[in-house]
Amino acid sequence: MEVRSICVIGAGVMGHGIAQVAAAAGYAVTVNEVDEGTLARGMGQIERSLKRLVARGQLTEGQAEEIRGRIRPETSLAAAAAEADLIIEAVTENLAVKESVFRAVDQHARPDAIIASNTSQYSITQLASFVRSPGRVCGMHFFNPPVLMRLIEIIRGLQTSDETYATVVAVSRRMGKEIVTCRDSQGFITSRLISALALEAMRIVEEGLASPEDVDRACRLGLGHAMGPLETVDLTGLDTALAVSDELVKAFGDRFRAPQTLRNLVRAGRIGQKAGRGIYAYDRDGKRISRQEG
């Protein structure tokens, strides 16, 4: 199947970046959100990202304008999904919300459209059970920020067809991404690995063995990581890290149980960069200013 148009459902932390990447690859893109305000914030994030790339010389003004012209905002899921060849679900990591989206897409999308999920943890086979043709469902896990991160993790559900898989691979490569493929299992490859590392990093801090800064510095300089594990979960969201942890516990047991520090930060609303406070503190532009104490 040749993909010409892509619908991205969700314009949040991941969705707006996925939409920008898809448009930069030459696809006609529709971005869907539940209300005008949320949609406007997502489109604003795309605009700020394009301006940064132009300022750095990574895009020309003409290229940025072409990307803008390929992206259409839409609050009606039915209208957004109706003509798309590929629909990428990028809503919050909540299974009930994802089920609602998948069932709605199944009602409004073309019967041959491929439905991909950006989930970092949920079973693709389970998500596929919410539609009438599970063979056209696949996992397409981008990394934050999608505009910069090179990897897409592709997950085949039990019933994902060869054609669906091949199409998602082709789209990923056209977007300029490297791919890894995983059979359907809770947390796939990357979420299991980063969760194990981040949770242990939090325990090290909780036990008073080292500061968050030194834990992250050790992973960057000693292990060659681009970001430390605590910096990473602040970027992706501590609420997401906790949700992933709780789901991994159900599948694999206590090795993925969240430390109390993580639960308390989430309860206090200190969920990372997007809230201005997490393990570290951030200014209005998302720049880290200090470690969050207390």
Side-chain angles (χ1 to χ4, degrees):
M1 176 183 180
E2 183 180 359
V3 173
R4 294 186 177 88
S5 60
I6 294 176
C7 167
V8 180
I9 301 178
V13 173
M14 295 301 294
H16 72 263
I18 295 170
Q20 182 179 331
V21 168
Y27 294 107
V29 180
T30 304
V31 185
N32 170 248
E33 259 295 355
V34 293
D35 59 68
E36 293 285 358
T38 308
L39 188 57
R41 285 192 292 275
M43 295 300 292
Q45 288 284 82
I46 293 173
E47 183 60 28
R48 285 188 286 276
S49 174
L50 290 173
K51 286 181 177 178
R52 283 195 298 270
L53 293 173
V54 170
R56 294 172 186 164
Q58 294 172 273
L59 285 179
T60 67
E61 286 286 1
Q63 289 170 328
E65 191 58 35
E66 288 178 3
I67 292 169
R68 291 185 190 99
R70 295 189 190 108
I71 302 174
R72 177 174 69 90
E74 177 59 69
T75 54
S76 166
L77 187 148
E83 297 303 322
D85 300 312
L86 170 64
I87 298 157
I88 303 174
E89 170 271 307
V91 302
T92 185
E93 285 291 90
N94 178 292
L95 187 59
V97 174
K98 290 184 185 294
E99 177 177 357
S100 176
V101 168
F102 267 71
R103 292 194 185 281
V105 167
D106 196 40
Q107 292 297 315
H108 299 296
R110 299 199 325 255
D112 63 336
I114 291 173
I115 308 171
S117 177
N118 182 56
T119 183
S120 60
Q121 59 163 321
Y122 288 118
S123 165
I124 299 304
T125 302
Q126 184 173 15
L127 295 177
S129 72
F130 303 141
V131 303
R132 287 166 290 185
S133 301
R136 61 194 176 107
V137 177
C138 192
M140 194 177 186
H141 180 208
F142 290 77
F143 292 80
N144 192 21
V147 173
L148 300 179
M149 297 294 282
R150 294 177 58 199
L151 182 66
I152 291 180
E153 187 176 36
I154 299 177
I155 304 94
R156 295 192 67 155
L158 185 63
Q159 295 169 280
T160 301
S161 71
D162 290 342
E163 181 184 9
T164 294
Y165 172 74
T167 300
V168 171
V169 167
V171 169
S172 300
R173 287 178 173 156
R174 178 170 162 180
M175 290 178 178
K177 304 299 186 182
E178 299 287 341
I179 65 166
V180 294
T181 301
C182 183
R183 288 185 300 167
D184 194 17
S185 177
Q186 191 84 30
F188 321 131
I189 301 170
T190 55
S191 291
R192 285 175 65 171
L193 290 174
I194 189 57
S195 291
L197 180 60
L199 295 172
E200 194 59 30
M202 290 181 205
R203 291 187 188 99
I204 288 171
V205 174
E206 191 172 81
E207 292 166 11
L209 301 178
S211 68
E213 292 90 345
D214 279 352
V215 170
D216 281 335
R217 189 177 297 115
C219 290
R220 290 196 310 271
L221 301 181
L223 304 181
H225 294 185
M227 294 179 68
L230 301 176
E231 294 169 318
T232 299
V233 293
D234 250 12
L235 177 63
T236 57
L238 298 179
D239 51 343
T240 299
L242 181 57
V244 171
S245 168
D246 287 343
E247 290 298 321
L248 290 174
V249 167
K250 295 175 186 177
F252 304 112
D254 279 353
R255 59 183 159 141
F256 287 104
R257 191 168 298 281
Q260 195 62 42
T261 295
L262 176 57
R263 295 192 183 280
N264 285 342
L265 286 170
V266 173
R267 287 168 181 157
R270 300 181 183 184
I271 57 175
Q273 187 182 99
K274 59 190 174 184
R277 306 174 80 182
I279 295 168
Y280 300 100
Y282 303 86
D283 64 20
R284 292 170 64 95
D285 296 322
K287 182 179 178 182
R288 198 173 100 192
I289 53 178
S290 70
R291 180 164 65 89
Q292 182 61 48
E293 301 283 358

